[in-house]
Amino acid sequence: MQILSFTCKTLKDCIVEACKKLNISEDKLQYTIIESKKGLFISKVTIEVKVDESGNDLSEENEDNYEVNYEEKNGTARVENGKVIIKAAKEGGRNPQILPPKNLSVFVDGREIKELTVVNENSIIQICNEDEPPKRFLHIQMDNNKMHAFVTINYVPQCVYKFKDAKETNILILEKEILEEKYPPTYKEAEIMEALRERNITYGIIRENLCKCLDENGVE
């Protein structure tokens, strides 16, 4: 038996690298986090994986019974229909851990987490979606001789996220996916005409082009 170590910027990168090296899927990989540093300029994670002389991960079912039995004692976490489900560890095993996705606020028992965090079957794991409302922008620009006006309209939705479904594992790397997009109301013709009047644009407006500005996807 030998121990292989993998060091990358993130835990996810370490797992991908180990799986490539051992030619196994992520759900079969069993590893131990040796080091995890997250700084302003440097981020580093190191994991260790036990393998036999043939290079196989010892978490496979046909390997040493002690290793298999130990892993069976560990608690697990999975995501089903957007909800994190925890299975408790048995005596002698270790509780599962979860790693939140970047740019998403995740709370465990009311406390926001930023790094790998131990959880149990009683943990309340929630996403805190941002309260920032959807936005819309209307910009009008004229050429130098003031004979042509150019309109740009953008709509920015408010995204509501949920956890992406994931298989059962002792260390769960959470990922997010969009549950719902809430868009602002589309600009009406009267609103666009008012914006044009504010720029003293009142003559020579082409009706067909004005109608194109009513597209709910925005326009340039």
Side-chain angles (χ1 to χ4, degrees), residues 20 27 30 59-60 82 96 149 151 165 196 200:
K20 286 182 179 179
D27 60 317
Q30 298 292 338
S59 64
E60 298 294 335
V151 179
D165 285 4
L196 291 170
N200 295 319

Side-chain angles (χ1 to χ4, degrees), residues 152-177:
T152 300
I153 296 176
N154 294 319
Y155 297 101
V156 180
Q158 177 189 24
C159 292
V160 178
Y161 295 99
K162 69 172 185 176
F163 294 124
K164 184 177 181 180
D165 285 4
K167 295 180 180 179
E168 192 174 59
T169 181
N170 180 251
I171 298 180
L172 176 63
I173 301 174
L174 293 170
E175 297 182 45
K176 66 180 181 181
E177 63 180 4

Side-chain angles (χ1 to χ4, degrees), residues 8-13 37-45 98-106 112-116 127-130 161-163 172-177:
C8 300
K9 288 185 178 180
T10 67
L11 177 59
K12 181 67 174 178
D13 291 340
K37 291 183 177 180
K38 183 179 289 186
L40 183 61
F41 300 105
I42 299 177
S43 295
K44 183 174 71 171
V45 177
I98 61 172
L99 181 68
K102 295 180 179 178
N103 303 322
L104 186 67
S105 296
V106 176
E112 185 175 8
I113 63 171
K114 296 291 187 181
E115 299 178 344
L116 203 62
I127 289 177
C128 180
N129 284 290
E130 299 296 333
Y161 295 99
K162 69 172 185 176
F163 294 124
L172 176 63
I173 301 174
L174 293 170
E175 297 182 45
K176 66 180 181 181
E177 63 180 4

Side-chain angles (χ1 to χ4, degrees), residues 110-135:
R111 180 178 61 86
E112 185 175 8
I113 63 171
K114 296 291 187 181
E115 299 178 344
L116 203 62
T117 302
V118 177
V119 292
N120 57 56
E121 69 275 19
N122 297 318
S123 297
I124 300 175
I125 304 166
Q126 298 173 312
I127 289 177
C128 180
N129 284 290
E130 299 296 333
D131 294 330
E132 189 172 351
K135 298 178 180 179

Side-chain angles (χ1 to χ4, degrees), residues 23-40:
N23 194 28
I24 60 174
S25 60
E26 289 187 17
D27 60 317
K28 295 291 185 182
L29 182 71
Q30 298 292 338
Y31 57 89
T32 302
I33 298 177
I34 303 302
E35 182 181 29
S36 179
K37 291 183 177 180
K38 183 179 289 186
L40 183 61

